[in-house]
Amino acid sequence: MPQPLKDFTVAIVGGGMCGLACAYGFANAGIKADVFEAAAHYHEIGAGVGFGHNAIRVLRELGLFDTILKVSGQQKANQRLFNMISGTGDHEQVFDYAESSGQQGNEGLGVYRPVFLDAVMPLLDPTMISTHFNKRCVSVEQSNTGPQTLHFADGTTHEADVIIGADGIKSVTRSAIVSETDNRLAFSGTYAYRGLIPIDLLETEGIKADIRSRPHCWVGAGKARKRHGGDKMLTSEHSHPWVESVPQAEVLNRFSGWGNDVMIMLNHLKQPSRWSIHTLYPPLDSYVNGRVVLIGDAAHAMVPHLGAGVGQGFEDTYALCRLLGHPNVRKANIETALKIYNEIRPPRANMVLKRSLRAGKIYESYGPGLYDISKMRHNLMGIWEPVWRFDLMDQVGLAILKEFEDSPQSVEKQKNPSTTKR
């Protein structure tokens, strides 16, 4: 049930996965929020997204997981541990995380991004959450004493006590945290070619990898990487479109000489798109300035090599909803809650950002003269553990306890946050 109504208002810039999850969490915490989306309707660009163990825990705590699981068409979250095999030759096994981990609970879930939004939208209480489309934010006007003001491309403005920037990697609200001239967007040196191919077709064509039951990663040296003089990787943001349709011949040329399974897939990738993978680097030291707060890709856009970007965005969402929703947080002390958020989120999310870059370098280093199988296994062992095994709920609970609570009952309550009706 919703909590008593708070005495402050929130504006969320961006109606993507993190923005809507945040709106849902705020409504349940008694916080009125307006969501501003630049598009004519809620939508997400891209195909699917994978939720790891940490993301699923957060979705459960927010009360969204059962709905998301239902719309995913799956009975339960399943282990989605990557099997890494060589992209060339006979595709020998390089690293199987399922065999190497030795731990239970490595559950994961794959969801189509637009389906996630379609599932969450009906859950938003219209008495608490107002949605506004065709609202492209162009600037943020900050105030130390009064409300914060959003300015939109259509000439309108909106005031709120707190502004949440959930507007993605090309965030406008980020200019309230760092100068507009401080452009942290960096091209990772890697392209991702995307397309959809029916699994039945690949199996008919004789693909050997068990792609139906678990994800696979074919690894090898430099095939998807654009070289910039030696081994330099991060460069300035691409000036041309980040997403472009390309001919199938380009993909086949990039991976020429690779093994049978890879070529079966690429021969059926008829209309590929090429995505220039960008990141936010160097990472932001702060996600908060006054009463403007960043979450998700606006705060820590990262490369996809650990499949952890959206999970970190959900962690931001959980921490922010729990902090601002605490009974002792109100307009008068809201900056104290935001200070806690800024103390706990940048160190963790930035760690995952850097670790994701490192993972990409490892994946692309398998091959003659670089890494052999033993070195790959050594470098990959445990690389996901800090992402999946971190107890965010305990961290947030202890931070709240330290700042807002001091009774023995509060101590016990914060040690067992999942027993709290949210």
Side-chain angles (χ1 to χ4, degrees), residues 6-74:
K6 292 282 189 175
D7 66 344
F8 57 86
T9 59
V10 172
I12 301 173
V13 182
M17 297 173 73
C18 291
L20 288 196
C22 199
Y24 177 80
F26 282 157
N28 287 345
I31 301 171
K32 283 197 169 186
D34 288 82
V35 181
F36 295 94
E37 169 56 39
H41 56 85
Y42 286 133
H43 77 293
E44 275 274 8
I45 298 174
V49 61
F51 299 152
H53 180 60
N54 63 312
I56 289 175
R57 287 186 65 196
V58 167
L59 288 173
R60 285 195 171 111
E61 290 292 325
L62 289 172
L64 287 171
F65 180 73
D66 288 344
T67 298
I68 302 306
L69 180 65
K70 183 178 180 180
V71 301
S72 75
Q74 302 172 62

Side-chain angles (χ1 to χ4, degrees), residues 85-88 91-95 218-222 258 360-377 380:
I85 54 182
S86 169
T88 58
H91 303 310
E92 63 181 325
Q93 189 174 72
V94 175
F95 180 82
W218 286 263
V219 298
W258 275 40
K361 292 180 181 179
I362 295 172
Y363 299 162
E364 295 186 5
S365 296
Y366 175 74
L370 297 170
Y371 290 175
D372 58 17
I373 288 179
S374 62
K375 193 170 185 178
M376 285 286 286
R377 288 175 177 169
L380 289 171

Side-chain angles (χ1 to χ4, degrees), residues 356-416:
S356 297
L357 282 168
R358 176 173 173 262
K361 292 180 181 179
I362 295 172
Y363 299 162
E364 295 186 5
S365 296
Y366 175 74
L370 297 170
Y371 290 175
D372 58 17
I373 288 179
S374 62
K375 193 170 185 178
M376 285 286 286
R377 288 175 177 169
H378 172 77
N379 287 328
L380 289 171
M381 188 69 69
I383 197 169
W384 284 274
E385 299 310 302
V387 180
W388 292 343
R389 305 301 169 193
F390 182 74
D391 195 335
L392 174 70
M393 292 74 193
D394 185 61
Q395 183 193 41
V396 176
L398 291 175
I400 289 174
L401 174 63
K402 179 180 179 181
E403 190 65 43
F404 296 115
E405 304 179 358
D406 56 11
S407 69
Q409 292 82 3
S410 297
V411 172
E412 185 61 30
K413 184 177 181 180
Q414 292 302 326
K415 285 183 177 179
N416 300 278

Side-chain angles (χ1 to χ4, degrees), residues 235-307:
T235 62
S236 59
E237 173 191 356
H238 266 190
S239 58
H240 59 71
W242 289 9
V243 180
E244 300 175 282
S245 296
V246 296
Q248 183 187 31
E250 177 178 322
V251 186
L252 294 173
N253 179 62
R254 287 273 188 177
F255 291 89
S256 63
W258 275 40
N260 187 64
D261 277 6
V262 173
M263 299 316 296
I264 287 176
M265 289 186 289
L266 299 186
N267 282 326
H268 290 284
L269 194 62
K270 300 299 184 183
Q271 296 179 314
S273 58
R274 184 183 66 199
W275 297 57
S276 300
I277 304 301
H278 285 69
T279 186
L280 201 61
Y281 200 90
L284 300 180
D285 296 323
S286 174
Y287 298 167
V288 176
N289 184 11
R291 296 187 180 184
V292 179
V293 190
L294 302 180
I295 65 173
D297 282 352
H300 44 70
M302 61 189 70
V303 295
H305 302 304
L306 287 180

